[in-house]
Structure formats: C-alpha cells, structure tokens
C-alpha cells in the first residue's frame, strides 16, 4: 500500500549543534502526486521531485543539489537534510509535526520593536566584519524582512519576538540560516548560524539613512571580454559566435548553488523571453562547487527547466574569487555571486554590477528594476 501523507501545514525543525532552526511547509497533492511547499515569509518554494519507498520519503529540493531523506509515521516525520553542494556533504537531522503551524513559538508579549532599517555588522568576532542592513517589518510578535548586503540579500526571513528576544530563520534548500538577537540598550546583539558548519556574532543599531557601497563601484572589466565555455551538453559557446554579433550582451557570473543568483536568473529569464527580439543576448557563466561534469550538467539543466531559461548557461569553472578572475581575463576585484557585466553593441563594457537585491528586499528590488531598465536603454543605443 502506498504511503499516505497528511496534507496541510507542518512545522519542521532542523537540529543544529546548539540550536533549532524551524520553518513551515505544506504537503499537497497535485495530479495524484505529493508536493512540498516551503514557506519563508512571502516566499513559496515548490519541491515536486518526490519519491516514496515504503515508509520513506525522498524529497529533492528544486534546483539545489540537496535532499530530504525522511521516515513518515502518521503526524510526524523524522530524518535528515543532506546538502550535496558542499564538499563535506553535511547532514542535519530533521523532524516535523503536522498541524503545528507556528514557525517560532513566542512565550511572551514583545517588548522590542524592530520595524525599520538597521545598520548591522556581521561576523563581529572576525577581523573583516562586514556591513549589512536589516530591513524589518513587525506586527505584534511576528517579524518579516531581510538583510541587505553587498553580495546580495539574505532572502526571505521570517520570525518572531518573544519579550526582548528576536528570532528569525530561512530555509530554501541551500540557505539554512538562523538569527537570534536580544535588546541591548538601543542596540541588538545576537548570534547567526549557517547550517551546522558556521556560527558568528552580529550587532545592529537603528539607522534610517544607512546605505551599502555602490554595486557599480566594486568590480571592473579592464579589457575586451572574451571566453569560450561548454554548455550542459558539452557544446562550446563563445562571445565571437554569430548569435552575439552586433548585439548588446548581459554576462551573468553565477552559481547554481547561489540563491541570489537564482533570484537574478528568474528575473533575467523573464526579461529575455520578452526582449530577445530587440537585439539583446544573455549568457550565464556558472561556477560550481563540484568538478563532476555529470553532476554539473544536471544542475544546469534543472536550473534551466525551473526558470524556463532560454539563454545559454555555460560551465566556467570551480567556485573561488581567484578562479573567476582567472577564467574571465580582465575582470578585476570580483567579490560576489552574482556579478553582472553589461556590454553594448560595440563590444564595450559599460557597467559591472556586483550582487543582486531580490524580491525579498521590497523597495530595493524596485530600485534595481528601475536601474536595470535605464542600463538596458543605454545598452541598446
């Protein structure tokens, strides 16, 4: 008899070494097959690559090279989340309960108001402490928002405030991030967990005018861009190919493991479908955490299918800043995935844009769209 899974909302917990990272998901049936819908604030992530064997449930996360391996027993699930995109393939224990719909369970009424914009310093125990900007909205105990950072936002965060303590988390199949902070005078002081492999401190203070460095001032291309890399079927694509001649070109430096890159891919895929007849081309250069080309090819094909991407995605090399600059001669001061290079019809690089502020950032995403439209108009002159 095929395993029956209760449909509706579940509360899941990933068991980190010294903390629990909660998130909610919904199990549904579509065309007689089960799907998992992961909730992060306003975001919904659909995982439909599900295999059932006896009382076991194998759920492959969309695009990312990660998987749940679970045992189902009525209104509970237990098992592991395995992230194959990391070299050590970390395994994090997982458990879930049906109908427990609170992501976090606040014990007390909030005595902390986090609405607004916060100047935030991550990794404060490190010598290279990095600036981020917390943008939060709060209704009672419930909190949503994200952190803006030069490399890209922390995507959709969801959490709660209990007394003077803030908890937030996100899980999307790649990011497995947990944040805790307590009120310390007028500041927030807290801890950040990234899966079971990284933990650091952070602090924040209100600053309504704080801004990040200009994303156009970070990286640069100092010579005419040229490259030749294989696609998922081992066919080499070069900027000298006929399809690119006389066209404006967007070169996306990205990774299939990078959530901000996927946000940008969703945006660019839709843009390309609507605008490719206007004399513009897009090509993505994918840097992967594995050197197994069969796995790389599968990652690229799954990404293309998920976002209906019709421009070429090429395997360019392994993850690493020096590797990127080695494989793309002339690209200097590369800092973040994604980095996007805009080339006009005459072959001149007119802009290099580091990072991506995705839809989780609200107003910042709207600002990016306006800036993008202006850049495209300049490209197509």
């Amino acid at each position: 008899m095929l395993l029956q899974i209760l449909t509706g909302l579940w509360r899941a917990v990933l068991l980190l070494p010294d903390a629990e990272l909660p998130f909610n998901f919904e199990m549904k049936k579509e065309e007689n097959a089960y799907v998992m819908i992961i909730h992060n604030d306003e975001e919904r992530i659909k995982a439909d690559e599900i295999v059932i064997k006896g009382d076991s449930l194998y759920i492959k996360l969309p695009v990312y090279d990660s998987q749940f391996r679970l045992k189902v027993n009525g209104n509970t699930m237990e098992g592991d989340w395995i992230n194959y995109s990391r070299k050590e393939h970390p395994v994090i224990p997982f458990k879930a309960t049906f109908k427990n719909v609170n992501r976090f369970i606040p014990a007390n009424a909030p005595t902390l108001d986090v609405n607004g914009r916060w100047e935030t310093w991550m990794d404060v125990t490190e010598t290279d402490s990095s600036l981020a900007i917390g943008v939060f909205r709060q209704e009672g105990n419930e909190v949503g928002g994200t952190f803006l950072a030069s490399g890209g936002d922390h995507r959709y965060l969801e959490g709660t405030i209990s007394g003077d303590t803030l908890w937030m988390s996100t899980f999307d199949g790649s990011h497995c991030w947990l944040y805790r902070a307590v009120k310390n005078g007028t500041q927030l002081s807290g801890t950040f967990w990234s899966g079971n492999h990284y933990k650091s401190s952070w602090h924040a203070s209100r600053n309504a005018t704080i801004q990040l460095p200009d994303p156009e001032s970070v990286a640069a291309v100092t010579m005419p861009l040229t490259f030749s890399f294989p696609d998922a079927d081992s066919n080499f694509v070069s900027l000298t190919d006929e399809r690119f001649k006389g066209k404006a070109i967007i070169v996306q430096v990205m990774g299939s493991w990078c959530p901000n890159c996927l946000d940008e891919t969703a945006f660019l895929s839709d843009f390309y479908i609507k605008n490719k007849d206007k004399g513009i081309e897009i090509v993505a250069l994918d840097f992967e955490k594995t050197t197994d080309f069969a796995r790389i090819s599968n990652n690229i094909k799954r990404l293309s299918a998920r976002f209906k991407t019709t421009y070429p995605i090429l395997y360019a090399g392994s993850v690493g800043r020096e590797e990127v600059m080695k494989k793309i001669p002339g690209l200097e001061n590369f800092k973040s995935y994604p980095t996007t290079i805009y080339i006009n019809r005459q072959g001149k690089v007119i802009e290099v844009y580091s990072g991506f502020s995705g839809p989780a950032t609200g107003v910042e995403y709207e600002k990016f769209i306006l800036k993008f439209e202006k850049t495209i108009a300049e490209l197509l002159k």
Side-chain angles (χ1 to χ4, degrees), residues 10-28:
W10 292 68
R11 180 181 186 265
V13 172
L14 290 167
L15 302 174
L16 308 183
D18 59 350
E20 293 186 351
L21 187 156
F23 66 95
N24 294 107
F25 67 90
E26 181 182 4
M27 293 301 299
K28 297 176 64 176

Side-chain angles (χ1 to χ4, degrees), residues 3-308:
L3 178 66
Q4 298 298 306
I5 302 171
L6 293 172
T7 56
L9 284 171
W10 292 68
R11 180 181 186 265
V13 172
L14 290 167
L15 302 174
L16 308 183
D18 59 350
E20 293 186 351
L21 187 156
F23 66 95
N24 294 107
F25 67 90
E26 181 182 4
M27 293 301 299
K28 297 176 64 176
K29 262 197 167 181
E30 294 183 357
E31 299 179 355
N32 295 318
Y34 288 106
V35 298
M36 171 191 260
I37 311 293
I38 297 171
H39 293 201
N40 292 303
D41 194 26
E42 299 173 356
E43 179 183 50
R44 299 294 181 266
I45 301 171
K46 182 178 180 180
D48 55 9
E49 298 175 73
I50 296 179
V51 174
I52 296 174
K53 294 182 180 179
D55 64 350
S56 296
L57 193 62
Y58 301 86
I59 305 174
K60 193 169 181 62
L61 278 300
V63 181
Y64 304 119
D65 196 6
S66 71
Q67 182 185 48
F68 287 118
R69 294 185 175 185
L70 310 174
K71 294 281 188 182
V72 181
N73 183 13
N75 66 349
T76 64
M77 297 182 189
E78 290 194 25
D80 298 307
W81 174 61
I82 307 169
N83 187 357
Y84 297 105
S85 69
R86 297 188 65 83
K87 289 182 180 180
E88 65 274 20
H89 296 174
V91 176
I92 299 179
F94 167 102
K95 61 182 181 181
T97 306
F98 182 65
K99 289 291 187 183
N100 188 345
V101 298
N102 293 315
R103 191 184 193 98
F104 292 90
I105 304 172
N108 301 294
T111 60
L112 173 63
D113 176 9
V114 298
N115 275 301
R117 199 172 179 92
W118 293 75
E119 178 179 340
T120 306
W121 291 93
M122 296 285 187
D123 308 321
V124 295
T125 59
E126 305 292 332
T127 56
D128 59 346
S129 179
S130 56
L131 173 66
I133 301 172
V135 285
F136 308 129
R137 65 184 190 282
Q138 177 183 347
E139 292 185 12
N141 287 96
E142 302 306 311
V143 178
T146 193
F147 288 99
L148 310 175
S150 292
D153 61 273
H154 291 207
R155 307 193 80 252
Y156 290 90
L157 305 182
E158 183 178 343
T160 195
I161 293 174
S162 180
D164 66 352
T165 303
L166 167 68
W167 289 95
M168 296 182 295
S169 67
T170 188
F171 175 78
D172 58 15
S174 177
H175 280 155
C176 172
W177 286 359
L178 175 68
Y179 309 76
R180 176 184 180 273
V182 296
K183 183 166 62 173
N184 181 10
T186 59
Q187 290 193 330
L188 299 176
S189 297
T191 305
F192 164 65
W193 292 262
S194 177
N196 58 5
H197 66 279
Y198 183 76
K199 178 181 176 181
S200 72
S201 299
W202 62 280
H203 64 75
S205 56
R206 287 191 181 278
N207 187 339
T209 61
I210 185 68
Q211 298 291 332
L212 293 171
D214 183 354
E216 298 173 52
S217 66
V218 180
V221 173
T222 58
M223 59 191 293
L225 206 62
T226 180
F227 56 75
S228 181
F229 296 119
D231 64 15
D233 295 315
S234 299
N235 301 308
F236 276 78
V237 175
S238 305
L239 278 186
T240 55
D241 292 347
E242 188 66 31
R243 68 179 295 164
F244 299 114
K245 289 183 179 178
K247 303 283 187 68
I249 305 168
I250 300 172
V251 179
Q252 178 195 24
V253 182
M254 50 80 71
S256 69
W257 46 269
C258 161
N260 297 115
C261 300
L262 301 194
D263 281 343
E264 184 184 50
T265 299
F267 176 83
L268 290 177
S269 294
D270 182 65
F271 167 81
Y272 184 65
I273 289 170
K274 296 174 180 176
N275 294 277
K276 60 183 178 181
D277 60 346
K278 296 179 181 178
I280 192 161
E281 287 292 335
I282 302 176
V283 58
L285 306 184
D286 177 36
F287 289 82
E288 288 286 337
K289 293 184 176 181
T290 177
T291 56
D292 180 348
F293 189 76
R295 175 165 282 181
I296 291 164
S297 175
N298 184 59
N299 290 348
I300 291 174
K301 288 179 178 179
R302 291 179 71 231
L303 185 154
S304 295
R306 176 65 59 168
F307 297 111
K308 298 180 174 59

